[in-house]
Amino acid sequence: MAISPSIQKFVGTWTETDQCVEYSVEVRDGDLVVTGLDTSDGEMLRIEDISFDGSELRFTSVCPSTDFVLTHVFRSASGDEVEHEFTRIETWSKKKP
């Protein structure tokens, strides 16, 4: 898969001051690779569905110990910053009467 040169803006490790998770983005052997790490306990997150359209990096993270699932969108911001949008995905059950 050919990776757009604009992915270079997203290459590196990303974190936020009050979060205990960091995401790393790299291009390895021509493939886009995203890894996630819970820095509070060292647990590696499972990363799925990675895509890049030239301006937005999208992926899904799964925490194996809790099955906590988030979808992520990284968008370019200024300097060494990205905008990180994330959505929690849950399965709900209908309450029985």
Side-chain angles (χ1 to χ4, degrees):
M1 165 168 83
I3 304 292
S4 169
S6 58
I7 191 62
Q8 290 305 315
K9 164 66 181 175
F10 300 94
V11 170
T13 298
W14 300 95
T15 189
E16 209 276 328
T17 306
D18 65 349
Q19 297 293 320
C20 64
V21 175
E22 62 184 33
Y23 296 98
S24 296
V25 179
E26 66 179 296
V27 177
R28 188 184 311 148
D29 298 325
D31 293 322
L32 187 55
V33 177
V34 177
T35 56
L37 173 66
D38 182 333
T39 58
S40 70
D41 62 10
E43 183 173 19
M44 293 299 297
L45 306 180
R46 190 171 72 241
I47 305 297
E48 304 171 344
D49 306 322
I50 302 168
S51 66
F52 182 65
D53 68 3
S55 63
E56 294 182 338
L57 172 62
R58 296 176 176 269
F59 59 93
T60 300
S61 66
V62 181
C63 180
S65 64
T66 63
D67 286 331
F68 190 84
V69 179
L70 294 174
T71 59
H72 304 265
V73 181
F74 279 13
R75 293 182 191 92
S76 182
S78 61
D80 286 337
E81 295 181 329
V82 294
E83 177 183 85
H84 179 206
E85 175 185 334
F86 53 95
T87 304
R88 182 169 179 178
I89 301 170
E90 300 176 316
T91 302
W92 285 33
S93 299
K94 187 175 183 178
K95 186 175 179 180
K96 297 188 187 324

Coordinates of all heavy atoms in Angstrom, one line a residue:
M1 N 0.8 -1.2 0.0 CA 0.0 0.0 0.0 C 0.9 1.2 0.0 O 1.8 1.4 0.8 CB -0.9 0.0 1.2 CG -1.6 1.3 1.6 SD -2.9 1.2 2.8 CE -2.0 1.2 4.3
A2 N 0.6 2.2 -0.9 CA 1.4 3.4 -0.9 C 0.9 4.4 0.1 O -0.3 4.6 0.2 CB 1.3 4.0 -2.3
I3 N 1.8 4.9 0.9 CA 1.5 5.8 2.0 C 1.7 7.2 1.6 O 2.8 7.5 1.1 CB 2.3 5.5 3.3 CG1 2.1 4.0 3.7 CG2 1.9 6.4 4.4 CD1 0.8 3.6 4.2
S4 N 0.7 8.1 1.7 CA 0.9 9.5 1.4 C 2.0 10.1 2.2 O 2.1 9.9 3.4 CB -0.5 10.2 1.7 OG -0.3 11.6 1.5
P5 N 2.8 11.0 1.5 CA 3.9 11.7 2.3 C 3.3 12.5 3.4 O 4.0 12.8 4.4 CB 4.5 12.5 1.2 CG 4.1 11.9 -0.1 CD 2.8 11.2 0.1
S6 N 2.1 12.9 3.3 CA 1.5 13.8 4.4 C 1.3 13.0 5.7 O 1.1 13.7 6.8 CB 0.2 14.4 4.0 OG -0.8 13.4 3.6
I7 N 1.6 11.7 5.7 CA 1.5 10.9 7.0 C 2.6 11.4 7.9 O 2.5 11.2 9.1 CB 1.6 9.4 6.7 CG1 1.2 8.6 8.0 CG2 2.9 9.0 6.2 CD1 -0.2 8.9 8.6
Q8 N 3.7 11.9 7.4 CA 4.9 12.3 8.2 C 4.5 13.3 9.3 O 5.1 13.2 10.4 CB 6.0 12.9 7.3 CG 6.7 11.9 6.4 CD 7.2 10.8 7.2 OE1 7.9 10.9 8.2 NE2 7.0 9.6 6.6
K9 N 3.4 14.1 9.2 CA 3.0 14.9 10.2 C 2.6 14.1 11.5 O 2.7 14.6 12.6 CB 1.8 15.8 9.7 CG 0.9 16.4 10.8 CD 1.7 17.5 11.5 CE 0.8 18.1 12.6 NZ 1.5 19.1 13.4
F10 N 2.1 12.9 11.2 CA 1.5 12.1 12.3 C 2.5 11.1 12.9 O 2.3 10.5 13.9 CB 0.3 11.3 11.8 CG -0.8 12.2 11.4 CD1 -0.9 12.6 10.0 CD2 -1.7 12.8 12.3 CE1 -1.9 13.4 9.6 CE2 -2.7 13.6 11.8 CZ -2.8 14.0 10.5
V11 N 3.7 10.9 12.3 CA 4.7 10.0 12.7 C 5.3 10.5 14.0 O 5.7 11.6 14.2 CB 5.8 9.8 11.7 CG1 6.9 9.0 12.2 CG2 5.2 9.0 10.4
G12 N 5.3 9.6 15.0 CA 5.9 9.9 16.3 C 5.0 9.4 17.4 O 4.0 8.6 17.2
T13 N 5.3 9.7 18.7 CA 4.5 9.3 19.8 C 3.7 10.4 20.3 O 4.2 11.5 20.6 CB 5.4 8.7 20.9 OG1 6.1 7.5 20.3 CG2 4.6 8.2 22.1
W14 N 2.4 10.2 20.5 CA 1.4 11.2 20.9 C 0.8 10.9 22.3 O 0.5 9.8 22.6 CB 0.3 11.3 19.9 CG 0.8 11.6 18.6 CD1 1.1 10.8 17.6 CD2 1.1 12.9 18.0 NE1 1.6 11.4 16.5 CE2 1.6 12.8 16.7 CE3 1.0 14.2 18.6 CZ2 2.0 13.8 15.9 CZ3 1.4 15.3 17.8 CH2 1.9 15.1 16.5
T15 N 0.8 12.0 23.1 CA 0.2 11.8 24.5 C -0.5 13.2 24.8 O -0.3 14.2 24.2 CB 1.3 11.5 25.5 OG1 0.7 11.1 26.7 CG2 2.3 12.6 25.6
E16 N -1.2 13.1 25.9 CA -1.9 14.3 26.4 C -1.6 14.3 27.9 O -1.6 13.2 28.6 CB -3.4 14.2 26.1 CG -4.0 15.6 26.0 CD -4.5 16.2 27.3 OE1 -4.8 15.4 28.2 OE2 -4.4 17.4 27.4
T17 N -1.4 15.4 28.5 CA -1.0 15.6 29.9 C -1.8 14.8 30.9 O -1.2 14.1 31.7 CB -1.0 17.1 30.3 OG1 -0.3 17.8 29.4 CG2 -0.4 17.2 31.7
D18 N -3.1 14.8 30.8 CA -3.9 14.1 31.8 C -4.4 12.7 31.4 O -5.3 12.2 32.0 CB -5.1 15.0 32.3 CG -6.1 15.2 31.2 OD1 -5.8 14.9 30.0 OD2 -7.2 15.7 31.5
Q19 N -3.7 12.1 30.4 CA -4.1 10.8 29.9 C -3.0 9.8 30.3 O -1.8 10.2 30.4 CB -4.3 10.8 28.4 CG -5.5 11.7 27.9 CD -6.8 11.1 28.4 OE1 -7.0 9.9 28.4 NE2 -7.7 12.0 28.8
C20 N -3.4 8.5 30.4 CA -2.4 7.5 30.8 C -2.1 6.6 29.6 O -1.6 5.5 29.7 CB -2.8 6.7 32.0 SG -4.3 5.8 31.7
V21 N -2.6 7.0 28.4 CA -2.4 6.2 27.2 C -1.6 7.1 26.2 O -1.8 8.3 26.1 CB -3.7 5.8 26.6 CG1 -3.5 5.1 25.2 CG2 -4.5 4.9 27.5
E22 N -0.7 6.4 25.5 CA 0.0 7.1 24.4 C -0.1 6.2 23.1 O -0.2 5.0 23.2 CB 1.5 7.4 24.7 CG 2.3 6.2 25.0 CD 3.7 6.6 25.5 OE1 3.9 7.6 26.2 OE2 4.6 5.8 25.2
Y23 N -0.1 6.9 22.0 CA -0.2 6.2 20.7 C 1.0 6.6 19.9 O 1.4 7.8 19.8 CB -1.5 6.6 19.9 CG -2.7 6.2 20.7 CD1 -3.4 7.1 21.5 CD2 -3.1 4.9 20.6 CE1 -4.5 6.6 22.2 CE2 -4.3 4.4 21.3 CZ -4.9 5.3 22.1 OH -6.1 4.9 22.8
S24 N 1.6 5.6 19.2 CA 2.8 5.8 18.4 C 2.4 5.5 17.0 O 1.8 4.5 16.7 CB 4.0 5.0 18.9 OG 4.4 5.4 20.1
V25 N 2.9 6.3 16.0 CA 2.6 6.1 14.6 C 3.9 6.0 13.9 O 4.8 6.8 14.1 CB 1.8 7.3 14.1 CG1 1.5 7.1 12.6 CG2 0.5 7.5 14.9
E26 N 4.0 5.0 13.0 CA 5.2 4.9 12.2 C 4.9 4.3 10.9 O 3.9 3.7 10.7 CB 6.3 4.1 12.9 CG 6.0 2.7 13.2 CD 7.1 1.9 13.9 OE1 8.2 1.8 13.3 OE2 6.9 1.5 15.0
V27 N 5.8 4.4 9.9 CA 5.7 3.7 8.6 C 6.9 2.7 8.7 O 8.0 3.0 8.9 CB 5.9 4.7 7.4 CG1 5.9 3.9 6.1 CG2 4.8 5.7 7.5
R28 N 6.5 1.4 8.6 CA 7.4 0.3 8.7 C 7.3 -0.6 7.5 O 6.2 -1.1 7.2 CB 7.2 -0.5 10.0 CG 8.2 -1.5 10.3 CD 7.9 -2.4 11.5 NE 7.5 -1.6 12.6 CZ 6.6 -2.1 13.6 NH1 6.0 -3.2 13.4 NH2 6.3 -1.3 14.6
D29 N 8.4 -0.7 6.7 CA 8.4 -1.5 5.5 C 7.2 -1.1 4.6 O 6.5 -1.9 4.0 CB 8.3 -3.0 5.8 CG 9.5 -3.4 6.6 OD1 10.6 -2.9 6.3 OD2 9.4 -4.3 7.5
G30 N 6.9 0.2 4.5 CA 5.9 0.7 3.6 C 4.4 0.6 4.1 O 3.5 0.9 3.5
D31 N 4.3 0.1 5.4 CA 3.0 -0.1 6.0 C 2.8 0.9 7.1 O 3.8 1.2 7.9 CB 2.8 -1.5 6.6 CG 2.7 -2.5 5.5 OD1 2.1 -2.3 4.4 OD2 3.2 -3.6 5.7
L32 N 1.6 1.4 7.3 CA 1.3 2.3 8.4 C 1.1 1.5 9.7 O 0.3 0.5 9.6 CB 0.1 3.1 8.0 CG -0.4 4.2 9.0 CD1 0.8 5.2 9.2 CD2 -1.6 4.9 8.4
V33 N 1.8 1.8 10.7 CA 1.7 1.0 12.0 C 1.3 2.0 13.1 O 2.0 3.0 13.3 CB 3.0 0.3 12.3 CG1 2.9 -0.4 13.6 CG2 3.4 -0.7 11.2
V34 N 0.3 1.6 13.9 CA -0.1 2.4 15.1 C 0.0 1.4 16.3 O -0.5 0.3 16.2 CB -1.5 3.0 15.0 CG1 -1.9 3.7 16.2 CG2 -1.6 3.9 13.8
T35 N 0.6 1.9 17.4 CA 0.7 1.1 18.6 C 0.1 2.0 19.7 O 0.2 3.2 19.7 CB 2.1 0.6 19.0 OG1 2.9 1.8 19.0 CG2 2.6 -0.3 17.9
G36 N -0.5 1.3 20.7 CA -1.0 2.0 21.8 C -0.5 1.4 23.1 O -0.4 0.2 23.2
L37 N -0.2 2.2 24.1 CA 0.3 1.8 25.4 C -0.4 2.5 26.5 O -0.5 3.7 26.5 CB 1.8 2.1 25.4 CG 2.5 1.8 26.8 CD1 2.5 0.3 27.1 CD2 3.9 2.4 26.7
D38 N -0.9 1.7 27.5 CA -1.4 2.2 28.7 C -0.2 2.4 29.6 O 0.4 1.4 30.1 CB -2.4 1.3 29.4 CG -3.0 1.8 30.6 OD1 -2.4 2.6 31.3 OD2 -4.2 1.4 31.0
T39 N 0.2 3.6 29.8 CA 1.5 3.9 30.6 C 1.3 3.7 32.1 O 2.3 3.6 32.8 CB 1.9 5.3 30.3 OG1 0.9 6.3 30.7 CG2 2.3 5.5 28.9
S40 N 0.1 3.5 32.6 CA -0.1 3.3 34.0 C 0.2 1.8 34.4 O 0.6 1.6 35.5 CB -1.6 3.6 34.4 OG -2.5 2.6 33.9
D41 N 0.1 0.9 33.4 CA 0.3 -0.5 33.8 C 1.1 -1.3 32.7 O 1.4 -2.4 32.9 CB -1.0 -1.3 34.1 CG -1.9 -1.3 32.9 OD1 -1.5 -0.9 31.8 OD2 -3.1 -1.7 33.1
G42 N 1.5 -0.6 31.6 CA 2.3 -1.2 30.6 C 1.5 -2.1 29.6 O 2.1 -2.7 28.8
E43 N 0.2 -2.1 29.7 CA -0.6 -2.9 28.8 C -0.6 -2.4 27.4 O -0.8 -1.2 27.2 CB -2.0 -3.1 29.3 CG -2.9 -4.0 28.5 CD -4.2 -4.2 29.0 OE1 -4.7 -3.5 29.9 OE2 -4.9 -5.2 28.6
M44 N -0.3 -3.2 26.4 CA -0.3 -2.8 25.0 C -1.8 -3.0 24.5 O -2.4 -4.0 24.8 CB 0.6 -3.7 24.2 CG 2.1 -3.5 24.5 SD 2.7 -1.8 24.2 CE 2.4 -1.7 22.4
L45 N -2.3 -1.9 23.8 CA -3.6 -2.0 23.3 C -3.5 -2.7 21.9 O -2.5 -2.6 21.2 CB -4.1 -0.6 23.1 CG -4.1 0.3 24.4 CD1 -4.7 1.7 24.1 CD2 -4.9 -0.4 25.5
R46 N -4.6 -3.3 21.5 CA -4.8 -3.9 20.2 C -5.3 -2.8 19.3 O -6.3 -2.1 19.6 CB -5.7 -5.1 20.3 CG -5.7 -5.9 19.0 CD -6.5 -7.2 19.1 NE -7.9 -6.9 19.2 CZ -8.7 -7.3 20.2 NH1 -8.2 -7.8 21.3 NH2 -10.0 -7.0 20.2
I47 N -4.6 -2.6 18.2 CA -5.0 -1.5 17.2 C -5.5 -2.2 16.0 O -4.9 -3.1 15.4 CB -3.8 -0.6 16.9 CG1 -3.2 0.0 18.2 CG2 -4.2 0.5 15.9 CD1 -4.1 0.9 19.0
E48 N -6.7 -1.7 15.5 CA -7.3 -2.3 14.3 C -7.8 -1.2 13.4 O -7.8 0.0 13.8 CB -8.5 -3.1 14.8 CG -8.3 -4.2 15.8 CD -9.5 -4.8 16.3 OE1 -10.6 -4.3 16.2 OE2 -9.4 -5.9 17.0
D49 N -8.1 -1.6 12.2 CA -8.8 -0.7 11.2 C -8.0 0.6 11.0 O -8.7 1.7 10.9 CB -10.2 -0.4 11.6 CG -11.0 -1.7 11.9 OD1 -10.8 -2.7 11.1 OD2 -11.8 -1.7 12.8
I50 N -6.7 0.5 10.7 CA -5.9 1.7 10.5 C -6.2 2.2 9.1 O -6.1 1.4 8.1 CB -4.4 1.4 10.7 CG1 -4.2 0.9 12.1 CG2 -3.6 2.7 10.4 CD1 -2.8 0.3 12.3
S51 N -6.5 3.5 9.0 CA -6.6 4.1 7.6 C -6.1 5.6 7.7 O -6.2 6.2 8.7 CB -8.1 4.1 7.1 OG -8.9 4.9 7.9
F52 N -5.7 6.0 6.5 CA -5.2 7.4 6.4 C -5.6 7.9 5.0 O -5.3 7.3 4.0 CB -3.7 7.5 6.5 CG -3.2 8.9 6.4 CD1 -3.5 9.8 7.4 CD2 -2.3 9.2 5.4 CE1 -3.0 11.1 7.3 CE2 -1.8 10.5 5.3 CZ -2.2 11.5 6.2
D53 N -6.4 9.0 5.0 CA -6.9 9.5 3.7 C -6.1 10.7 3.2 O -6.6 11.4 2.3 CB -8.4 9.9 3.9 CG -8.6 11.1 4.8 OD1 -7.7 11.7 5.3 OD2 -9.8 11.4 5.0
G54 N -5.0 11.0 3.8 CA -4.2 12.1 3.3 C -4.3 13.3 4.3 O -3.5 14.2 4.3
S55 N -5.4 13.3 5.1 CA -5.5 14.4 6.1 C -5.9 13.9 7.5 O -5.6 14.5 8.5 CB -6.5 15.4 5.6 OG -7.8 14.9 5.5
E56 N -6.6 12.7 7.5 CA -7.0 12.2 8.8 C -6.5 10.8 9.0 O -6.7 9.9 8.1 CB -8.6 12.2 8.9 CG -9.2 13.5 9.0 CD -10.7 13.5 9.2 OE1 -11.3 12.4 8.8 OE2 -11.3 14.5 9.6
L57 N -6.0 10.5 10.2 CA -5.5 9.2 10.5 C -6.6 8.6 11.4 O -7.0 9.2 12.4 CB -4.2 9.2 11.3 CG -3.7 7.9 11.9 CD1 -3.4 6.9 10.9 CD2 -2.5 8.2 12.8
R58 N -7.1 7.4 11.1 CA -8.2 6.8 11.8 C -7.8 5.4 12.2 O -7.1 4.7 11.5 CB -9.5 6.7 11.0 CG -10.0 8.0 10.6 CD -11.3 7.8 9.6 NE -11.8 9.1 9.3 CZ -12.8 9.6 10.0 NH1 -13.4 9.0 11.0 NH2 -13.3 10.8 9.7
F59 N -8.2 5.0 13.4 CA -7.9 3.6 13.9 C -8.9 3.3 15.1 O -9.5 4.2 15.6 CB -6.5 3.4 14.3 CG -6.0 4.3 15.4 CD1 -6.0 3.9 16.7 CD2 -5.4 5.6 15.0 CE1 -5.5 4.8 17.7 CE2 -5.0 6.4 16.0 CZ -5.0 6.0 17.4
T60 N -8.9 2.0 15.4 CA -9.7 1.6 16.6 C -8.7 1.0 17.6 O -7.8 0.2 17.2 CB -10.7 0.5 16.1 OG1 -11.6 1.1 15.2 CG2 -11.5 0.0 17.3
S61 N -8.9 1.3 18.9 CA -8.1 0.6 19.9 C -9.0 -0.2 20.8 O -10.1 0.1 21.1 CB -7.3 1.7 20.7 OG -8.3 2.5 21.5
V62 N -8.4 -1.3 21.2 CA -9.1 -2.2 22.1 C -8.1 -2.5 23.3 O -7.0 -2.9 23.1 CB -9.5 -3.6 21.4 CG1 -10.2 -4.5 22.4 CG2 -10.3 -3.3 20.2
C63 N -8.6 -2.3 24.5 CA -7.8 -2.7 25.7 C -8.2 -4.1 26.0 O -9.3 -4.5 26.4 CB -8.2 -1.8 26.9 SG -7.3 -2.1 28.3
P64 N -7.2 -5.1 25.9 CA -7.5 -6.5 26.1 C -8.0 -6.9 27.4 O -8.9 -7.7 27.5 CB -6.2 -7.2 25.8 CG -5.4 -6.2 24.9 CD -5.8 -4.8 25.4
S65 N -7.6 -6.2 28.5 CA -8.0 -6.6 29.8 C -9.4 -6.2 30.2 O -10.1 -6.7 31.1 CB -7.0 -6.0 30.9 OG -7.1 -4.6 30.9
T66 N -9.9 -5.2 29.4 CA -11.3 -4.6 29.8 C -12.3 -4.7 28.6 O -13.4 -4.4 28.8 CB -11.2 -3.2 30.2 OG1 -10.7 -2.4 29.1 CG2 -10.3 -3.0 31.5
D67 N -11.8 -5.0 27.4 CA -12.5 -4.9 26.1 C -13.1 -3.5 25.9 O -14.0 -3.3 25.2 CB -13.7 -5.9 26.1 CG -13.2 -7.3 25.9 OD1 -12.2 -7.5 25.2 OD2 -13.9 -8.3 26.4
F68 N -12.4 -2.5 26.5 CA -12.8 -1.1 26.2 C -12.4 -0.7 24.8 O -11.2 -0.9 24.4 CB -12.0 -0.3 27.3 CG -12.4 1.2 27.3 CD1 -13.4 1.6 28.1 CD2 -11.7 2.1 26.7 CE1 -13.8 2.9 28.2 CE2 -12.0 3.5 26.7 CZ -13.1 3.9 27.5
V69 N -13.3 -0.3 24.0 CA -13.1 0.0 22.6 C -13.3 1.5 22.3 O -14.3 2.1 22.7 CB -14.0 -0.8 21.7 CG1 -13.8 -0.5 20.2 CG2 -13.9 -2.3 21.9
L70 N -12.3 2.1 21.6 CA -12.4 3.5 21.2 C -12.1 3.5 19.7 O -11.2 2.9 19.2 CB -11.5 4.4 21.9 CG -11.6 4.6 23.4 CD1 -10.5 5.4 23.9 CD2 -12.9 5.3 23.7
T71 N -12.8 4.4 19.0 CA -12.4 4.8 17.6 C -11.7 6.1 17.7 O -12.1 7.0 18.5 CB -13.6 4.9 16.6 OG1 -14.5 5.8 17.1 CG2 -14.3 3.5 16.5
H72 N -10.7 6.3 16.9 CA -9.9 7.5 17.0 C -9.8 8.2 15.6 O -9.7 7.5 14.6 CB -8.4 7.2 17.4 CG -8.4 6.4 18.7 ND1 -8.1 7.0 19.9 CD2 -8.5 5.1 19.0 CE1 -8.1 6.1 20.9 NE2 -8.3 4.9 20.3
V73 N -9.7 9.5 15.7 CA -9.4 10.3 14.5 C -8.3 11.3 14.9 O -8.5 12.1 15.9 CB -10.6 11.1 13.9 CG1 -10.2 11.9 12.7 CG2 -11.7 10.1 13.6
F74 N -7.2 11.3 14.2 CA -6.1 12.3 14.4 C -6.2 13.3 13.2 O -6.2 12.8 12.1 CB -4.7 11.7 14.4 CG -4.3 11.1 15.7 CD1 -5.2 10.8 16.8 CD2 -3.0 10.7 15.9 CE1 -4.8 10.3 18.0 CE2 -2.5 10.2 17.1 CZ -3.4 9.9 18.1
R75 N -6.2 14.6 13.5 CA -6.2 15.6 12.5 C -5.0 16.5 12.8 O -4.8 16.8 13.9 CB -7.5 16.4 12.5 CG -8.7 15.6 12.1 CD -10.0 16.5 12.1 NE -11.2 15.7 12.0 CZ -11.9 15.2 13.0 NH1 -11.5 15.5 14.2 NH2 -12.9 14.5 12.7
S76 N -4.4 17.0 11.7 CA -3.3 17.9 11.9 C -3.8 19.2 12.5 O -4.8 19.8 12.2 CB -2.7 18.2 10.5 OG -1.6 19.1 10.6
A77 N -3.0 19.7 13.5 CA -3.2 21.0 14.1 C -1.9 21.8 13.9 O -1.2 21.6 12.9 CB -3.4 20.8 15.6
S78 N -1.6 22.7 14.8 CA -0.4 23.5 14.5 C 0.8 22.9 15.1 O 0.8 22.2 16.1 CB -0.6 24.9 15.1 OG -0.8 24.8 16.5
G79 N 2.0 23.2 14.5 CA 3.3 22.7 15.0 C 3.3 21.2 15.3 O 2.9 20.4 14.4
D80 N 3.7 20.9 16.5 CA 3.8 19.5 16.9 C 2.6 19.0 17.6 O 2.7 18.3 18.6 CB 5.1 19.2 17.7 CG 6.3 19.3 16.9 OD1 6.3 19.0 15.7 OD2 7.4 19.5 17.5
E81 N 1.4 19.4 17.2 CA 0.2 19.0 17.8 C -0.8 18.4 16.8 O -0.8 18.8 15.6 CB -0.5 20.2 18.4 CG 0.3 20.8 19.6 CD -0.4 22.0 20.2 OE1 -1.2 22.7 19.5 OE2 -0.3 22.2 21.4
V82 N -1.6 17.5 17.3 CA -2.7 17.0 16.5 C -4.0 17.1 17.3 O -3.9 17.2 18.5 CB -2.5 15.5 16.1 CG1 -1.4 15.3 15.1 CG2 -2.4 14.6 17.3
E83 N -5.1 17.2 16.6 CA -6.4 17.1 17.2 C -6.8 15.7 17.3 O -6.7 14.9 16.3 CB -7.4 17.9 16.4 CG -8.8 17.8 16.9 CD -9.8 18.5 16.0 OE1 -10.3 17.9 15.1 OE2 -10.0 19.7 16.2
H84 N -7.1 15.2 18.5 CA -7.5 13.8 18.7 C -8.9 13.7 19.1 O -9.3 14.1 20.2 CB -6.6 13.2 19.8 CG -6.8 11.8 20.1 ND1 -6.5 11.2 21.4 CD2 -7.4 10.8 19.4 CE1 -6.9 10.0 21.4 NE2 -7.4 9.7 20.2
E85 N -9.7 13.1 18.2 CA -11.1 12.9 18.5 C -11.3 11.4 18.8 O -10.8 10.5 18.0 CB -12.0 13.2 17.3 CG -13.4 12.9 17.4 CD -14.2 13.2 16.1 OE1 -13.8 14.1 15.3 OE2 -15.2 12.5 15.9
F86 N -12.0 11.0 19.9 CA -12.2 9.6 20.2 C -13.6 9.4 20.6 O -14.2 10.2 21.3 CB -11.2 9.0 21.1 CG -11.0 9.8 22.4 CD1 -11.7 9.4 23.6 CD2 -10.2 10.9 22.5 CE1 -11.6 10.1 24.7 CE2 -10.0 11.6 23.7 CZ -10.7 11.2 24.8
T87 N -14.1 8.2 20.3 CA -15.5 7.8 20.6 C -15.5 6.5 21.2 O -14.9 5.5 20.7 CB -16.3 7.8 19.3 OG1 -16.3 9.1 18.7 CG2 -17.8 7.5 19.6
R88 N -16.1 6.3 22.3 CA -16.2 5.0 23.0 C -17.4 4.2 22.3 O -18.4 4.7 22.1 CB -16.5 5.2 24.5 CG -16.6 3.8 25.2 CD -16.6 3.9 26.6 NE -16.7 2.6 27.2 CZ -16.7 2.4 28.5 NH1 -16.6 3.3 29.3 NH2 -16.7 1.1 28.9
I89 N -17.1 2.9 22.1 CA -18.1 2.0 21.5 C -18.5 1.0 22.6 O -17.6 0.3 23.1 CB -17.5 1.3 20.3 CG1 -17.1 2.4 19.2 CG2 -18.5 0.4 19.7 CD1 -16.3 1.9 18.1
E90 N -19.7 0.9 22.9 CA -20.3 0.0 23.8 C -21.4 -0.8 23.2 O -22.1 -0.3 22.4 CB -20.8 0.7 25.1 CG -19.8 1.5 25.8 CD -20.4 2.2 27.0 OE1 -21.5 2.8 26.8 OE2 -19.8 2.2 28.0
T91 N -21.7 -2.0 23.7 CA -22.9 -2.8 23.3 C -23.8 -2.7 24.5 O -23.4 -3.1 25.7 CB -22.5 -4.2 23.0 OG1 -21.6 -4.2 21.9 CG2 -23.7 -5.0 22.6
W92 N -25.0 -2.2 24.3 CA -26.0 -2.1 25.4 C -27.1 -3.2 25.2 O -27.3 -3.6 24.0 CB -26.6 -0.8 25.4 CG -25.8 0.3 25.9 CD1 -24.4 0.4 25.8 CD2 -26.2 1.5 26.6 NE1 -24.0 1.6 26.4 CE2 -25.1 2.3 26.9 CE3 -27.5 2.0 27.0 CZ2 -25.1 3.5 27.6 CZ3 -27.5 3.2 27.7 CH2 -26.4 3.9 28.0
S93 N -27.7 -3.6 26.3 CA -28.7 -4.6 26.2 C -30.0 -3.9 26.6 O -30.1 -3.1 27.5 CB -28.4 -5.8 27.2 OG -27.3 -6.4 26.8
K94 N -31.1 -4.4 26.0 CA -32.4 -3.8 26.3 C -32.8 -4.4 27.7 O -32.7 -5.6 28.0 CB -33.4 -4.3 25.3 CG -34.8 -3.7 25.5 CD -35.7 -4.1 24.3 CE -37.0 -3.4 24.4 NZ -37.8 -3.8 23.2
K95 N -33.3 -3.5 28.6 CA -33.7 -3.9 29.9 C -35.0 -4.6 29.8 O -36.0 -4.3 29.1 CB -33.9 -2.6 30.7 CG -34.2 -2.9 32.2 CD -34.3 -1.5 33.0 CE -34.6 -1.8 34.4 NZ -34.6 -0.5 35.2
K96 N -35.1 -5.7 30.5 CA -36.3 -6.6 30.6 C -37.3 -6.0 31.5 O -36.9 -5.5 32.6 CB -35.9 -8.0 31.0 CG -35.0 -8.7 30.0 CD -34.8 -10.1 30.3 CE -33.8 -10.9 29.5 NZ -33.6 -10.6 28.2
P97 N -38.6 -6.0 31.1 CA -39.6 -5.4 32.0 C -39.8 -6.1 33.3 O -39.4 -7.2 33.5 CB -40.9 -5.5 31.1 CG -40.6 -6.2 29.9 CD -39.1 -6.5 29.9

